[in-house]
Amino acid sequence: MEELDKRVDLYLQMIDPSLVGPASEQELAAFAALRELGVIVARPMLLAIHEIEAPPQAVEELLRLIVHRIVTGYLGTGAVERRLSGAARSIARDRNWLKVMSSLEDLNPARDDFERQLGSRPLNKIELGFVLRSVPMSDITPRQHEYQYVHAIRPRVAPDWPGFPDEDLTRWGSTAGNAVLAS
Protein backbone atom coordinates (compact mmCIF):
# COMPACT_ATOMS: atom_id res chain seq x y z
CA MET A 1 0.00 0.00 0.00
CA GLU A 2 2.91 2.35 0.70
CA GLU A 3 4.23 1.81 -2.83
CA LEU A 4 0.82 2.51 -4.34
CA ASP A 5 0.34 5.53 -2.10
CA LYS A 6 3.52 7.04 -3.58
CA ARG A 7 1.95 6.80 -7.04
CA VAL A 8 -1.64 7.72 -6.26
CA ASP A 9 -1.52 11.02 -8.21
CA LEU A 10 -0.33 9.22 -11.35
CA TYR A 11 -2.87 6.42 -10.88
CA LEU A 12 -5.68 8.93 -10.50
CA GLN A 13 -4.58 10.52 -13.78
CA MET A 14 -4.90 7.10 -15.43
CA ILE A 15 -8.49 7.01 -14.24
CA ASP A 16 -9.17 10.66 -15.15
CA PRO A 17 -6.57 12.19 -17.50
CA SER A 18 -7.98 15.69 -16.89
CA LEU A 19 -6.57 15.71 -13.34
CA VAL A 20 -3.36 17.54 -12.49
CA GLY A 21 -0.44 15.29 -11.65
CA PRO A 22 2.96 14.01 -12.68
CA ALA A 23 2.09 12.49 -16.08
CA SER A 24 3.57 13.91 -19.28
CA GLU A 25 1.38 15.06 -22.16
CA GLN A 26 2.14 11.82 -24.03
CA GLU A 27 1.19 9.74 -21.00
CA LEU A 28 -2.04 11.70 -20.58
CA ALA A 29 -2.91 11.09 -24.24
CA ALA A 30 -2.30 7.35 -23.75
CA PHE A 31 -4.33 7.36 -20.52
CA ALA A 32 -7.22 9.03 -22.36
CA ALA A 33 -7.01 6.48 -25.19
CA LEU A 34 -6.98 3.54 -22.77
CA ARG A 35 -9.85 5.04 -20.81
CA GLU A 36 -11.88 5.42 -24.02
CA LEU A 37 -11.16 1.79 -24.91
CA GLY A 38 -11.98 0.62 -21.39
CA VAL A 39 -8.56 -0.97 -20.87
CA ILE A 40 -7.24 -1.14 -17.31
CA VAL A 41 -4.91 -4.13 -17.64
CA ALA A 42 -2.05 -1.87 -18.83
CA ARG A 43 -1.98 0.31 -15.71
CA PRO A 44 0.79 -1.61 -13.89
CA MET A 45 3.01 -1.34 -16.97
CA LEU A 46 2.24 2.36 -17.29
CA LEU A 47 3.21 2.86 -13.64
CA ALA A 48 6.48 1.00 -14.19
CA ILE A 49 7.29 2.88 -17.41
CA HIS A 50 6.67 6.19 -15.68
CA GLU A 51 8.75 5.17 -12.66
CA ILE A 52 11.86 4.47 -14.75
CA GLU A 53 11.33 7.71 -16.73
CA ALA A 54 11.22 5.86 -20.05
CA PRO A 55 10.93 7.95 -23.22
CA PRO A 56 7.46 8.77 -24.65
CA GLN A 57 7.84 6.03 -27.26
CA ALA A 58 7.57 3.41 -24.49
CA VAL A 59 4.00 4.44 -23.74
CA GLU A 60 3.20 4.63 -27.47
CA GLU A 61 4.55 1.13 -28.08
CA LEU A 62 2.49 -0.27 -25.22
CA LEU A 63 -0.64 1.45 -26.51
CA ARG A 64 0.04 0.21 -30.05
CA LEU A 65 0.40 -3.36 -28.74
CA ILE A 66 -2.90 -3.06 -26.89
CA VAL A 67 -4.77 -1.65 -29.90
CA HIS A 68 -3.33 -4.36 -32.13
CA ARG A 69 -4.49 -7.01 -29.63
CA ILE A 70 -7.96 -5.49 -29.51
CA VAL A 71 -8.25 -5.56 -33.31
CA THR A 72 -6.75 -9.00 -33.90
CA GLY A 73 -7.52 -10.99 -30.83
CA TYR A 74 -8.57 -10.71 -27.29
CA LEU A 75 -6.82 -8.51 -24.82
CA GLY A 76 -8.65 -9.52 -21.66
CA THR A 77 -7.63 -13.15 -21.47
CA GLY A 78 -5.94 -14.35 -18.30
CA ALA A 79 -2.80 -15.33 -20.19
CA VAL A 80 -2.36 -11.85 -21.69
CA GLU A 81 -3.08 -10.18 -18.35
CA ARG A 82 -0.45 -12.38 -16.67
CA ARG A 83 2.09 -11.49 -19.36
CA LEU A 84 1.43 -7.77 -18.95
CA SER A 85 1.63 -7.91 -15.15
CA GLY A 86 4.87 -9.91 -15.40
CA ALA A 87 6.17 -7.33 -17.87
CA ALA A 88 5.37 -4.54 -15.40
CA ARG A 89 7.30 -6.38 -12.70
CA SER A 90 10.27 -6.86 -15.06
CA ILE A 91 10.31 -3.18 -16.07
CA ALA A 92 10.30 -2.12 -12.41
CA ARG A 93 12.99 -4.65 -11.48
CA ASP A 94 15.32 -4.36 -14.50
CA ARG A 95 14.53 -0.72 -15.40
CA ASN A 96 14.64 -1.70 -19.08
CA TRP A 97 11.38 -1.18 -20.99
CA LEU A 98 12.90 -2.03 -24.41
CA LYS A 99 13.91 -5.52 -23.35
CA VAL A 100 10.48 -6.16 -21.85
CA MET A 101 8.60 -4.86 -24.89
CA SER A 102 10.74 -7.13 -27.06
CA SER A 103 9.70 -10.08 -24.90
CA LEU A 104 6.04 -9.23 -25.64
CA GLU A 105 6.56 -9.12 -29.41
CA ASP A 106 4.77 -12.45 -29.87
CA LEU A 107 1.58 -10.72 -28.65
CA ASN A 108 1.88 -8.16 -31.44
CA PRO A 109 0.39 -9.47 -34.70
CA ALA A 110 2.09 -9.15 -38.06
CA ARG A 111 1.04 -6.10 -40.09
CA ASP A 112 -0.79 -8.15 -42.75
CA ASP A 113 -2.72 -10.03 -40.04
CA PHE A 114 -3.65 -6.70 -38.40
CA GLU A 115 -4.86 -5.26 -41.72
CA ARG A 116 -6.83 -8.41 -42.57
CA GLN A 117 -8.49 -8.54 -39.15
CA LEU A 118 -9.21 -4.81 -39.22
CA GLY A 119 -11.16 -5.29 -42.44
CA SER A 120 -13.21 -8.23 -41.22
CA ARG A 121 -13.31 -8.56 -37.43
CA PRO A 122 -16.34 -7.10 -35.66
CA LEU A 123 -15.47 -4.38 -33.14
CA ASN A 124 -17.70 -2.48 -30.80
CA LYS A 125 -18.52 1.15 -31.68
CA ILE A 126 -15.94 2.57 -29.29
CA GLU A 127 -13.12 0.40 -30.63
CA LEU A 128 -14.16 1.01 -34.22
CA GLY A 129 -14.42 4.77 -33.69
CA PHE A 130 -10.98 4.83 -32.06
CA VAL A 131 -9.35 2.97 -34.95
CA LEU A 132 -11.18 5.01 -37.56
CA ARG A 133 -9.81 8.22 -35.98
CA SER A 134 -6.35 6.79 -35.46
CA VAL A 135 -5.71 5.68 -39.05
CA PRO A 136 -6.24 8.98 -40.91
CA MET A 137 -4.49 10.94 -38.14
CA SER A 138 -1.57 8.47 -38.19
CA ASP A 139 -1.64 8.74 -34.42
CA ILE A 140 -1.99 6.03 -31.79
CA THR A 141 -3.53 8.63 -29.46
CA PRO A 142 -6.14 10.24 -31.70
CA ARG A 143 -8.08 13.16 -30.32
CA GLN A 144 -11.74 12.59 -29.65
CA HIS A 145 -14.10 14.68 -31.68
CA GLU A 146 -17.23 15.74 -29.91
CA TYR A 147 -19.45 15.06 -32.92
CA GLN A 148 -17.75 12.03 -34.41
CA TYR A 149 -19.81 8.86 -34.34
CA VAL A 150 -19.69 5.55 -36.09
CA HIS A 151 -22.84 5.50 -38.18
CA ALA A 152 -24.49 2.17 -38.84
CA ILE A 153 -25.13 1.29 -42.47
CA ARG A 154 -28.53 0.04 -41.38
CA PRO A 155 -30.30 -0.54 -38.08
CA ARG A 156 -29.69 -3.96 -36.51
CA VAL A 157 -33.38 -4.60 -35.90
CA ALA A 158 -34.90 -3.57 -39.20
CA PRO A 159 -36.71 -6.48 -40.85
CA ASP A 160 -36.76 -6.57 -44.61
CA TRP A 161 -34.35 -3.67 -45.14
CA PRO A 162 -34.44 -3.21 -48.93
CA GLY A 163 -31.23 -4.26 -50.64
CA PHE A 164 -29.40 -5.04 -47.40
CA PRO A 165 -30.04 -8.52 -46.02
CA ASP A 166 -29.23 -9.60 -42.47
CA GLU A 167 -26.24 -11.64 -43.69
CA ASP A 168 -24.61 -8.49 -45.08
CA LEU A 169 -25.26 -6.62 -41.84
CA THR A 170 -23.67 -9.46 -39.89
CA ARG A 171 -20.60 -9.28 -42.13
CA TRP A 172 -20.19 -5.51 -42.38
CA GLY A 173 -22.16 -3.89 -39.56
CA SER A 174 -19.46 -3.90 -36.86
CA THR A 175 -16.36 -3.73 -39.02
CA ALA A 176 -14.29 -1.02 -40.64
CA GLY A 177 -16.25 -1.89 -43.79
CA ASN A 178 -19.28 -0.35 -42.10
CA ALA A 179 -17.52 3.04 -42.05
CA VAL A 180 -16.47 2.72 -45.70
CA LEU A 181 -19.97 1.81 -46.79
CA ALA A 182 -21.59 4.50 -44.60
CA SER A 183 -19.25 7.14 -46.01
Side-chain angles (χ1 to χ4, degrees):
M1 288 305 292
E2 287 177 30
E3 290 299 314
L4 289 175
D5 193 44
K6 292 177 192 174
R7 294 163 185 83
V8 72
D9 290 338
L10 181 65
Y11 194 81
L12 289 173
Q13 283 186 292
M14 288 179 196
I15 296 168
D16 182 355
S18 69
L19 295 175
V20 175
S24 68
E25 289 299 315
Q26 189 63 30
E27 287 172 318
L28 289 173
F31 297 168
L34 292 168
R35 180 181 177 181
E36 178 184 350
L37 293 168
V39 174
I40 61 172
V41 69
R43 289 178 182 169
M45 279 190 70
L46 291 167
L47 286 168
I49 288 169
H50 179 83
E51 187 69 26
I52 67 166
E53 298 176 5
Q57 78 184 70
V59 174
E60 287 182 14
E61 283 191 34
L62 176 58
L63 183 56
R64 189 169 285 110
L65 171 70
I66 288 167
V67 171
H68 288 177
R69 286 297 300 184
I70 287 170
V71 170
T72 61
Y74 297 96
L75 179 65
T77 67
V80 172
E81 288 182 17
R82 273 191 303 281
R83 293 277 306 275
L84 293 179
S85 66
R89 187 173 37 254
S90 294
I91 290 170
R93 182 188 62 228
D94 301 337
R95 304 188 65 77
N96 186 338
W97 70 273
L98 260 174
K99 178 182 172 187
V100 172
M101 288 304 292
S102 294
S103 74
L104 298 174
E105 194 57 37
D106 63 307
L107 294 177
N108 207 355
R111 183 178 182 92
D112 59 335
D113 187 34
F114 174 78
E115 290 173 357
R116 185 175 53 257
Q117 293 287 343
L118 179 60
S120 62
R121 187 165 179 271
L123 300 171
N124 69 42
K125 283 186 177 184
I126 292 171
E127 295 164 347
L128 189 55
F130 182 89
V131 171
L132 293 174
R133 284 193 329 272
S134 181
V135 171
M137 289 181 182
S138 297
D139 189 352
I140 195 63
T141 57
R143 294 170 307 285
Q144 272 189 309
H145 296 288
E146 187 174 342
Y147 299 108
Q148 183 173 354
Y149 301 100
V150 175
H151 296 284
I153 46 181
R154 77 156 249 219
R156 289 206 180 278
V157 287
D160 301 322
W161 191 269
F164 211 105
D166 287 343
E167 303 83 50
D168 288 347
L169 178 63
T170 300
R171 178 165 184 190
W172 298 108
S174 299
T175 67
N178 173 79
V180 172
L181 292 171
S183 296

